[in-house]
């Protein structure tokens, strides 16, 4: 084996090991606690993986967009669904459909589409859990920092990184970005 081919093979092995090594958080960020000033509302519709409609205590029905996460989009107007959109929507429905949830505000009241921006909490037999985090932890949502609403961004990022490292949800799919990148690197250095 000539030096160039051996060097390329070694590079691919080292790069493969680096890409497959889980990112270990230097410090575990504790799960947020239930906010004392949250608003209770009943879920009347699950729109998609990161948007619901709720009935508030005064009777108004509002759309709520989950803060800090972004799920694949359901196709509209004849467009196809993005991969994992139905799974994210179905999980969201399983978590909050017809439930009473607690809405936690960060800084902004609404987004440019007049949706309420909230962290959404649901009660389990073991206690309250944030749905935004549940979706990130299951690998069904990516994490996004939309300034100024970043109160729980580091915690959500930690959950997303753990889902990626464990190959959960859309991060275990063959079409994931990491798999495509590795395939491209191997093809570049070793040829097809």
């Amino acid at each position: 084996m000539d030096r160039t081919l051996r060097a390329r093979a070694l590079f691919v092995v080292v790069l493969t090991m680096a890409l497959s090594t889980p990112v270990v958080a230097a410090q575990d960020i504790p799960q947020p606690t239930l906010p004392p000033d949250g608003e209770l509302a009943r879920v009347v519709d699950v729109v998609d993986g990161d948007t619901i409609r709720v009935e508030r205590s005064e009777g108004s029905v509002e759309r709520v967009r989950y803060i800090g996460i972004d799920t694949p989009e359901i196709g509209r107007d004849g467009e196809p669904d993005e991969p994992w959109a139905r799974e994210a929507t179905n999980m969201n429905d399983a978590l909050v459909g017809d439930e009473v949830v607690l809405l936690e505000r960060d800084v902004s009241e609404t987004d440019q589409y007049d949706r309420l921006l909230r962290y959404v909490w649901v009660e389990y037999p073991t206690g309250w859990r944030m749905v935004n985090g549940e979706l990130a932890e299951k690998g069904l949502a990516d994490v996004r920092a939309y300034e100024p609403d970043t109160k729980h961004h580091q915690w959500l990022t930690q959950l997303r990184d753990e889902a990626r490292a464990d190959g959960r949800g859309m991060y275990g799919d063959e079409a994931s970005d990491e798999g495509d990148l590795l395939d491209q690197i191997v093809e570049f250095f070793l040829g097809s």
Side-chain angles (χ1 to χ4, degrees):
M1 184 185 261
D2 74 12
R3 278 187 189 202
T4 305
L5 187 55
R6 196 174 323 158
R8 284 182 180 173
L10 179 61
F11 177 77
V12 169
V13 168
V14 170
L15 188 58
T16 301
M17 290 172 55
L19 288 175
S20 63
T21 302
V23 176
V24 177
Q27 170 185 357
D28 280 339
I29 299 163
Q31 176 178 338
T33 57
L34 191 66
D37 59 347
E39 173 188 2
L40 290 174
R42 174 164 295 285
V43 177
V44 296
D45 184 35
V46 173
V47 177
D48 59 24
D50 54 30
T51 307
I52 57 177
R53 290 179 53 235
V54 300
E55 182 177 8
R56 299 171 91 179
S57 60
E58 76 278 359
S60 69
V61 174
E62 305 279 345
R63 288 182 308 153
V64 176
R65 173 66 164 83
Y66 295 175
I67 298 173
I69 65 168
D70 188 34
T71 62
E73 296 298 322
I74 297 287
R76 307 272 192 252
D77 300 323
E79 292 292 320
D81 295 346
E82 291 181 356
W84 291 93
R86 292 290 167 184
E87 291 85 348
T89 301
N90 292 340
M91 179 56 67
N92 194 19
D93 188 46
L95 293 169
V96 301
D98 297 319
E99 295 288 335
V100 172
V101 295
L102 186 94
L103 305 176
E104 177 186 1
R105 183 176 169 185
D106 197 334
V107 176
S108 304
E109 178 68 19
T110 60
D111 65 8
Q112 68 269 28
Y113 305 108
D114 291 323
R115 299 175 295 189
L116 297 176
L117 294 173
R118 299 294 188 269
Y119 300 102
V120 177
W121 295 77
V122 67
E123 189 172 22
Y124 288 100
T126 58
W128 289 86
R129 300 272 306 207
M130 186 194 299
V131 177
N132 315 48
E134 292 287 303
L135 292 165
E137 183 176 53
K138 292 176 183 342
L140 296 173
D142 198 8
V143 174
R144 302 267 195 257
Y146 298 107
E147 295 289 341
D149 302 295
T150 58
K151 178 179 180 180
H152 301 303
H153 179 70
Q154 289 182 328
W155 178 72
L156 291 168
T157 299
Q158 175 179 290
L159 294 176
R160 189 258 339 260
D161 290 349
E162 290 169 2
R164 277 185 179 165
D166 292 344
R168 284 183 245 139
M170 62 186 175
Y171 301 112
D173 185 28
E174 290 180 3
S176 71
D177 291 338
E178 188 173 292
D180 289 347
L181 177 61
L182 183 57
D183 291 344
Q184 291 170 19
I185 291 168
V186 169
E187 183 176 331
F188 176 79
F189 283 101
L190 296 181
S192 44

PDB file of all heavy atoms in Angstrom, residues 167-188:
ATOM      1  N   GLY A 167     -28.617   8.548  18.152  1.00  0.00           N
ATOM      2  CA  GLY A 167     -29.291   8.197  16.909  1.00  0.00           C
ATOM      3  C   GLY A 167     -30.795   8.089  17.041  1.00  0.00           C
ATOM      4  O   GLY A 167     -31.420   7.268  16.381  1.00  0.00           O
ATOM      5  N   ARG A 168     -31.386   8.910  17.908  1.00  0.00           N
ATOM      6  CA  ARG A 168     -32.845   8.861  18.103  1.00  0.00           C
ATOM      7  C   ARG A 168     -33.561   9.678  17.041  1.00  0.00           C
ATOM      8  O   ARG A 168     -33.070  10.700  16.592  1.00  0.00           O
ATOM      9  CB  ARG A 168     -33.214   9.414  19.480  1.00  0.00           C
ATOM     10  CG  ARG A 168     -32.921   8.444  20.587  1.00  0.00           C
ATOM     11  CD  ARG A 168     -33.365   8.996  21.927  1.00  0.00           C
ATOM     12  NE  ARG A 168     -32.145   9.185  22.708  1.00  0.00           N
ATOM     13  CZ  ARG A 168     -31.888  10.204  23.489  1.00  0.00           C
ATOM     14  NH1 ARG A 168     -32.767  11.166  23.661  1.00  0.00           N
ATOM     15  NH2 ARG A 168     -30.751  10.277  24.124  1.00  0.00           N
ATOM     16  N   GLY A 169     -34.756   9.210  16.673  1.00  0.00           N
ATOM     17  CA  GLY A 169     -35.619   9.960  15.770  1.00  0.00           C
ATOM     18  C   GLY A 169     -34.956  10.263  14.448  1.00  0.00           C
ATOM     19  O   GLY A 169     -34.327   9.396  13.841  1.00  0.00           O
ATOM     20  N   MET A 170     -35.061  11.518  14.027  1.00  0.00           N
ATOM     21  CA  MET A 170     -34.538  11.898  12.718  1.00  0.00           C
ATOM     22  C   MET A 170     -33.017  11.841  12.653  1.00  0.00           C
ATOM     23  O   MET A 170     -32.447  11.850  11.575  1.00  0.00           O
ATOM     24  CB  MET A 170     -35.043  13.288  12.319  1.00  0.00           C
ATOM     25  CG  MET A 170     -34.647  14.410  13.199  1.00  0.00           C
ATOM     26  SD  MET A 170     -35.512  15.917  12.643  1.00  0.00           S
ATOM     27  CE  MET A 170     -35.014  17.044  13.917  1.00  0.00           C
ATOM     28  N   TYR A 171     -32.356  11.728  13.809  1.00  0.00           N
ATOM     29  CA  TYR A 171     -30.896  11.643  13.808  1.00  0.00           C
ATOM     30  C   TYR A 171     -30.407  10.218  13.594  1.00  0.00           C
ATOM     31  O   TYR A 171     -29.223   9.985  13.408  1.00  0.00           O
ATOM     32  CB  TYR A 171     -30.325  12.233  15.101  1.00  0.00           C
ATOM     33  CG  TYR A 171     -30.736  13.673  15.265  1.00  0.00           C
ATOM     34  CD1 TYR A 171     -31.615  14.054  16.272  1.00  0.00           C
ATOM     35  CD2 TYR A 171     -30.296  14.643  14.375  1.00  0.00           C
ATOM     36  CE1 TYR A 171     -32.016  15.374  16.398  1.00  0.00           C
ATOM     37  CE2 TYR A 171     -30.703  15.959  14.494  1.00  0.00           C
ATOM     38  CZ  TYR A 171     -31.556  16.318  15.507  1.00  0.00           C
ATOM     39  OH  TYR A 171     -31.959  17.628  15.630  1.00  0.00           O
ATOM     40  N   GLY A 172     -31.306   9.250  13.595  1.00  0.00           N
ATOM     41  CA  GLY A 172     -30.935   7.877  13.302  1.00  0.00           C
ATOM     42  C   GLY A 172     -31.291   7.489  11.878  1.00  0.00           C
ATOM     43  O   GLY A 172     -30.951   6.428  11.419  1.00  0.00           O
ATOM     44  N   ASP A 173     -31.974   8.383  11.185  1.00  0.00           N
ATOM     45  CA  ASP A 173     -32.403   8.128   9.815  1.00  0.00           C
ATOM     46  C   ASP A 173     -31.192   8.115   8.891  1.00  0.00           C
ATOM     47  O   ASP A 173     -30.264   8.889   9.062  1.00  0.00           O
ATOM     48  CB  ASP A 173     -33.381   9.231   9.391  1.00  0.00           C
ATOM     49  CG  ASP A 173     -33.976   8.997   8.024  1.00  0.00           C
ATOM     50  OD1 ASP A 173     -34.095   7.846   7.593  1.00  0.00           O
ATOM     51  OD2 ASP A 173     -34.327   9.994   7.391  1.00  0.00           O
ATOM     52  N   GLU A 174     -31.220   7.265   7.886  1.00  0.00           N
ATOM     53  CA  GLU A 174     -30.110   7.202   6.932  1.00  0.00           C
ATOM     54  C   GLU A 174     -29.908   8.523   6.200  1.00  0.00           C
ATOM     55  O   GLU A 174     -28.838   8.807   5.714  1.00  0.00           O
ATOM     56  CB  GLU A 174     -30.348   6.088   5.917  1.00  0.00           C
ATOM     57  CG  GLU A 174     -30.230   4.707   6.512  1.00  0.00           C
ATOM     58  CD  GLU A 174     -30.475   3.630   5.486  1.00  0.00           C
ATOM     59  OE1 GLU A 174     -30.678   3.940   4.300  1.00  0.00           O
ATOM     60  OE2 GLU A 174     -30.461   2.453   5.877  1.00  0.00           O
ATOM     61  N   ALA A 175     -30.939   9.344   6.138  1.00  0.00           N
ATOM     62  CA  ALA A 175     -30.847  10.617   5.426  1.00  0.00           C
ATOM     63  C   ALA A 175     -30.344  11.744   6.318  1.00  0.00           C
ATOM     64  O   ALA A 175     -30.376  12.894   5.935  1.00  0.00           O
ATOM     65  CB  ALA A 175     -32.213  10.998   4.858  1.00  0.00           C
ATOM     66  N   SER A 176     -29.853  11.417   7.510  1.00  0.00           N
ATOM     67  CA  SER A 176     -29.386  12.477   8.398  1.00  0.00           C
ATOM     68  C   SER A 176     -28.155  13.160   7.828  1.00  0.00           C
ATOM     69  O   SER A 176     -27.411  12.584   7.041  1.00  0.00           O
ATOM     70  CB  SER A 176     -29.078  11.922   9.788  1.00  0.00           C
ATOM     71  OG  SER A 176     -27.916  11.128   9.749  1.00  0.00           O
ATOM     72  N   ASP A 177     -27.940  14.392   8.237  1.00  0.00           N
ATOM     73  CA  ASP A 177     -26.809  15.176   7.734  1.00  0.00           C
ATOM     74  C   ASP A 177     -25.471  14.512   8.047  1.00  0.00           C
ATOM     75  O   ASP A 177     -24.584  14.487   7.226  1.00  0.00           O
ATOM     76  CB  ASP A 177     -26.814  16.585   8.346  1.00  0.00           C
ATOM     77  CG  ASP A 177     -27.977  17.410   7.839  1.00  0.00           C
ATOM     78  OD1 ASP A 177     -28.511  17.097   6.758  1.00  0.00           O
ATOM     79  OD2 ASP A 177     -28.361  18.363   8.537  1.00  0.00           O
ATOM     80  N   GLU A 178     -25.332  13.967   9.259  1.00  0.00           N
ATOM     81  CA  GLU A 178     -24.065  13.371   9.662  1.00  0.00           C
ATOM     82  C   GLU A 178     -23.719  12.179   8.780  1.00  0.00           C
ATOM     83  O   GLU A 178     -22.597  12.022   8.338  1.00  0.00           O
ATOM     84  CB  GLU A 178     -24.132  12.949  11.127  1.00  0.00           C
ATOM     85  CG  GLU A 178     -22.793  12.495  11.659  1.00  0.00           C
ATOM     86  CD  GLU A 178     -22.857  12.251  13.140  1.00  0.00           C
ATOM     87  OE1 GLU A 178     -23.021  13.224  13.890  1.00  0.00           O
ATOM     88  OE2 GLU A 178     -22.736  11.079  13.540  1.00  0.00           O
ATOM     89  N   GLY A 179     -24.690  11.318   8.478  1.00  0.00           N
ATOM     90  CA  GLY A 179     -24.449  10.164   7.613  1.00  0.00           C
ATOM     91  C   GLY A 179     -24.069  10.589   6.215  1.00  0.00           C
ATOM     92  O   GLY A 179     -23.155  10.046   5.613  1.00  0.00           O
ATOM     93  N   ASP A 180     -24.760  11.579   5.679  1.00  0.00           N
ATOM     94  CA  ASP A 180     -24.437  12.078   4.346  1.00  0.00           C
ATOM     95  C   ASP A 180     -23.031  12.654   4.303  1.00  0.00           C
ATOM     96  O   ASP A 180     -22.291  12.425   3.362  1.00  0.00           O
ATOM     97  CB  ASP A 180     -25.430  13.159   3.914  1.00  0.00           C
ATOM     98  CG  ASP A 180     -26.812  12.579   3.616  1.00  0.00           C
ATOM     99  OD1 ASP A 180     -26.922  11.347   3.504  1.00  0.00           O
ATOM    100  OD2 ASP A 180     -27.752  13.370   3.499  1.00  0.00           O
ATOM    101  N   LEU A 181     -22.649  13.399   5.331  1.00  0.00           N
ATOM    102  CA  LEU A 181     -21.327  14.002   5.380  1.00  0.00           C
ATOM    103  C   LEU A 181     -20.247  12.928   5.405  1.00  0.00           C
ATOM    104  O   LEU A 181     -19.262  13.008   4.668  1.00  0.00           O
ATOM    105  CB  LEU A 181     -21.198  14.910   6.611  1.00  0.00           C
ATOM    106  CG  LEU A 181     -19.835  15.556   6.836  1.00  0.00           C
ATOM    107  CD1 LEU A 181     -19.473  16.460   5.658  1.00  0.00           C
ATOM    108  CD2 LEU A 181     -19.826  16.335   8.126  1.00  0.00           C
ATOM    109  N   LEU A 182     -20.423  11.912   6.228  1.00  0.00           N
ATOM    110  CA  LEU A 182     -19.441  10.841   6.309  1.00  0.00           C
ATOM    111  C   LEU A 182     -19.318  10.128   4.969  1.00  0.00           C
ATOM    112  O   LEU A 182     -18.209   9.849   4.510  1.00  0.00           O
ATOM    113  CB  LEU A 182     -19.822   9.855   7.417  1.00  0.00           C
ATOM    114  CG  LEU A 182     -18.844   8.720   7.674  1.00  0.00           C
ATOM    115  CD1 LEU A 182     -17.467   9.274   8.007  1.00  0.00           C
ATOM    116  CD2 LEU A 182     -19.350   7.840   8.795  1.00  0.00           C
ATOM    117  N   ASP A 183     -20.457   9.837   4.325  1.00  0.00           N
ATOM    118  CA  ASP A 183     -20.424   9.197   3.014  1.00  0.00           C
ATOM    119  C   ASP A 183     -19.664  10.046   2.001  1.00  0.00           C
ATOM    120  O   ASP A 183     -18.874   9.536   1.205  1.00  0.00           O
ATOM    121  CB  ASP A 183     -21.828   8.928   2.501  1.00  0.00           C
ATOM    122  CG  ASP A 183     -22.558   7.856   3.292  1.00  0.00           C
ATOM    123  OD1 ASP A 183     -21.873   7.112   4.038  1.00  0.00           O
ATOM    124  OD2 ASP A 183     -23.798   7.796   3.194  1.00  0.00           O
ATOM    125  N   GLN A 184     -19.880  11.351   2.014  1.00  0.00           N
ATOM    126  CA  GLN A 184     -19.212  12.263   1.093  1.00  0.00           C
ATOM    127  C   GLN A 184     -17.697  12.281   1.347  1.00  0.00           C
ATOM    128  O   GLN A 184     -16.901  12.296   0.401  1.00  0.00           O
ATOM    129  CB  GLN A 184     -19.779  13.670   1.216  1.00  0.00           C
ATOM    130  CG  GLN A 184     -21.198  13.793   0.708  1.00  0.00           C
ATOM    131  CD  GLN A 184     -21.805  15.132   1.065  1.00  0.00           C
ATOM    132  OE1 GLN A 184     -21.096  16.089   1.373  1.00  0.00           O
ATOM    133  NE2 GLN A 184     -23.121  15.211   1.015  1.00  0.00           N
ATOM    134  N   ILE A 185     -17.288  12.264   2.601  1.00  0.00           N
ATOM    135  CA  ILE A 185     -15.850  12.300   2.937  1.00  0.00           C
ATOM    136  C   ILE A 185     -15.177  11.012   2.475  1.00  0.00           C
ATOM    137  O   ILE A 185     -14.108  11.040   1.851  1.00  0.00           O
ATOM    138  CB  ILE A 185     -15.662  12.518   4.442  1.00  0.00           C
ATOM    139  CG1 ILE A 185     -16.098  13.930   4.815  1.00  0.00           C
ATOM    140  CG2 ILE A 185     -14.208  12.278   4.857  1.00  0.00           C
ATOM    141  CD1 ILE A 185     -16.223  14.169   6.297  1.00  0.00           C
ATOM    142  N   VAL A 186     -15.798   9.875   2.748  1.00  0.00           N
ATOM    143  CA  VAL A 186     -15.220   8.599   2.335  1.00  0.00           C
ATOM    144  C   VAL A 186     -15.115   8.537   0.826  1.00  0.00           C
ATOM    145  O   VAL A 186     -14.088   8.146   0.269  1.00  0.00           O
ATOM    146  CB  VAL A 186     -16.057   7.403   2.882  1.00  0.00           C
ATOM    147  CG1 VAL A 186     -15.634   6.104   2.245  1.00  0.00           C
ATOM    148  CG2 VAL A 186     -15.933   7.340   4.387  1.00  0.00           C
ATOM    149  N   GLU A 187     -16.180   8.970   0.128  1.00  0.00           N
ATOM    150  CA  GLU A 187     -16.153   8.947  -1.334  1.00  0.00           C
ATOM    151  C   GLU A 187     -15.061   9.872  -1.879  1.00  0.00           C
ATOM    152  O   GLU A 187     -14.348   9.529  -2.813  1.00  0.00           O
ATOM    153  CB  GLU A 187     -17.516   9.393  -1.885  1.00  0.00           C
ATOM    154  CG  GLU A 187     -17.576   9.312  -3.404  1.00  0.00           C
ATOM    155  CD  GLU A 187     -18.956   9.662  -3.940  1.00  0.00           C
ATOM    156  OE1 GLU A 187     -19.951   9.441  -3.219  1.00  0.00           O
ATOM    157  OE2 GLU A 187     -19.011  10.148  -5.071  1.00  0.00           O
ATOM    158  N   PHE A 188     -14.877  11.037  -1.267  1.00  0.00           N
ATOM    159  CA  PHE A 188     -13.867  11.979  -1.729  1.00  0.00           C
ATOM    160  C   PHE A 188     -12.463  11.395  -1.605  1.00  0.00           C
ATOM    161  O   PHE A 188     -11.650  11.489  -2.515  1.00  0.00           O
ATOM    162  CB  PHE A 188     -13.962  13.288  -0.942  1.00  0.00           C
ATOM    163  CG  PHE A 188     -12.882  14.270  -1.292  1.00  0.00           C
ATOM    164  CD1 PHE A 188     -12.969  15.039  -2.451  1.00  0.00           C
ATOM    165  CD2 PHE A 188     -11.774  14.439  -0.465  1.00  0.00           C
ATOM    166  CE1 PHE A 188     -11.976  15.955  -2.771  1.00  0.00           C
ATOM    167  CE2 PHE A 188     -10.780  15.342  -0.788  1.00  0.00           C
ATOM    168  CZ  PHE A 188     -10.881  16.103  -1.948  1.00  0.00           C
TER     169      PHE A 188
END
